[in-house]
Amino acid sequence: MKTKLRTRWNLTPQEAMRLQETLRERVEREDRFGTLQFVAGADLAFDPETNLAFAGVIVYQFPQLQEVERRMARRTLRFPYVPGLLSFRESPVLLAAFEKLRVEPDLILVDGHGIAHPRRFGIACHLGLLLDRPTIGCAKSILVGEAVEPGVRAGSTAPLVDKGETVGIVLRTRDRVKPIYVTTGHRVSLQSAVRIARQCLDGFRIPKPTREADHFVRDLRRAYQERRARNQI
DNA sequence: GCGACAG
DNA sequence: ATCTTGTCGC
């Protein structure tokens, strides 16, 4: 698939923050997608020694969750990790992986937040705009807001509230296990985001698309570190 | 100023 | 994110 919105990435944190303030207005929080046939999950892993990052994206047939394609890309991270500016660190590599896809996903699950962000523009929102695709943010911890504790049973939900606004849903994906945080990225309502995230569960805490993408890039990183340790790279 | 802080 | 093995529990 192709990146629809081209922007420069060599920005300073200050410039990045300003860009977020501008792009946030283009985010669509209501449903705007048809039948979901292909759903993708994306994640990234990197080697702290070299700052080389591996991005992975896996496309699944929905709702069967059968894999149909996976692609990867590697690149040196140029932007530092700054809470609230994660997208400027990870998006370049992730986009490179997405651009290798032959199958166009109808919706993308992103490892990180959507509107549950200080400027309501997390990486899920940003990637949604860049790829012009519906996206959902699936984070493992909170960036902003206060989470109401959901019931201890799998499937329980509770709101994630920030400054009086419900910006996400806390979802207990397994009995008594730490919940995940589901948020609107782009063109997906919070209600639909939770429904879809649930449909992407297969018995584990993390939804399959994101979890498998995580395993994918983790293996790529390990293989790289192995070769490097053996002085062959 | 202090504490919090996705991955 | 990454550093890290086994181990207790469902």
Side-chain angles (χ1 to χ4, degrees):
Chain A
M1 70 187 298
K2 196 167 184 177
T3 298
K4 287 212 173 180
L5 180 59
R6 293 301 239 165
T7 58
R8 46 184 287 255
W9 292 103
N10 57 325
L11 306 172
T12 64
Q14 296 66 35
E15 295 174 322
M17 208 170 292
R18 285 190 52 215
L19 179 56
Q20 290 183 320
E21 295 287 6
T22 300
L23 295 179
R24 59 181 290 181
E25 297 172 22
R26 297 200 215 175
V27 174
E28 297 173 31
R29 304 184 183 191
E30 298 308 312
D31 288 329
R32 186 176 148 192
F33 56 85
T35 302
L36 297 182
Q37 182 177 13
F38 300 117
V39 171
D43 196 18
L44 174 155
F46 79 104
D47 173 31
E49 299 294 312
T50 61
N51 235 16
L52 181 62
F54 298 83
V57 53
I58 306 181
V59 182
Y60 290 88
Q61 181 84 223
F62 187 84
Q64 303 90 323
L65 301 186
Q66 287 297 304
E67 180 176 334
V68 299
E69 182 181 12
R70 71 167 61 193
R71 297 290 169 185
M72 68 82 83
R74 33 189 271 174
R75 176 174 305 192
T76 299
L77 297 178
R78 303 295 182 184
F79 201 91
Y81 169 67
V82 179
L85 299 179
L86 178 67
S87 178
F88 295 89
R89 176 176 174 77
E90 303 191 343
S91 291
V93 207
L94 289 170
L95 289 176
F98 273 107
E99 292 183 351
K100 293 181 180 179
L101 287 179
R102 269 61 167 179
V103 177
E104 292 239 340
D106 300 303
L107 183 149
I108 302 165
L109 255 53
V110 181
D111 196 332
H113 284 105
I115 63 171
H117 176 278
R119 288 168 293 284
R120 303 292 182 261
F121 195 70
I123 188 170
C125 301
H126 203 164
L127 283 177
L129 289 185
L130 294 167
L131 296 170
D132 194 32
R133 287 282 149 184
T135 57
I136 294 175
C138 283
K140 298 179 291 297
S141 62
I142 296 175
L143 172 59
V144 295
E146 182 177 321
V148 174
E149 186 69 14
V152 300
R153 305 291 293 181
S156 301
T157 62
L160 171 61
V161 182
D162 182 46
K163 298 175 179 175
E165 176 185 15
T166 294
V167 294
I169 289 295
V170 185
L171 173 62
R172 184 91 62 190
T173 55
R174 297 193 66 190
D175 288 356
R176 308 182 146 282
V177 164
K178 187 180 189 296
I180 64 172
Y181 307 88
V182 181
T183 69
T184 288
H186 186 45
R187 293 180 186 167
V188 183
S189 67
L190 195 49
Q191 294 65 35
S192 295
V194 179
R195 176 173 55 73
I196 296 168
R198 274 181 166 133
Q199 293 187 84
C200 286
L201 292 174
D202 63 341
F204 293 86
R205 180 193 172 221
I206 306 300
K208 187 174 184 179
T210 301
R211 189 185 71 247
E212 290 302 317
D214 176 71
H215 291 171
F216 178 33
V217 295
R218 186 196 308 169
D219 287 343
L220 290 173
R221 173 179 60 75
R222 283 177 176 166
Y224 162 73
Q225 294 179 320
E226 278 304 312
R227 280 176 294 159
R228 186 157 178 280
R230 289 180 346 230
N231 240 326
Q232 297 191 319
I233 198 169

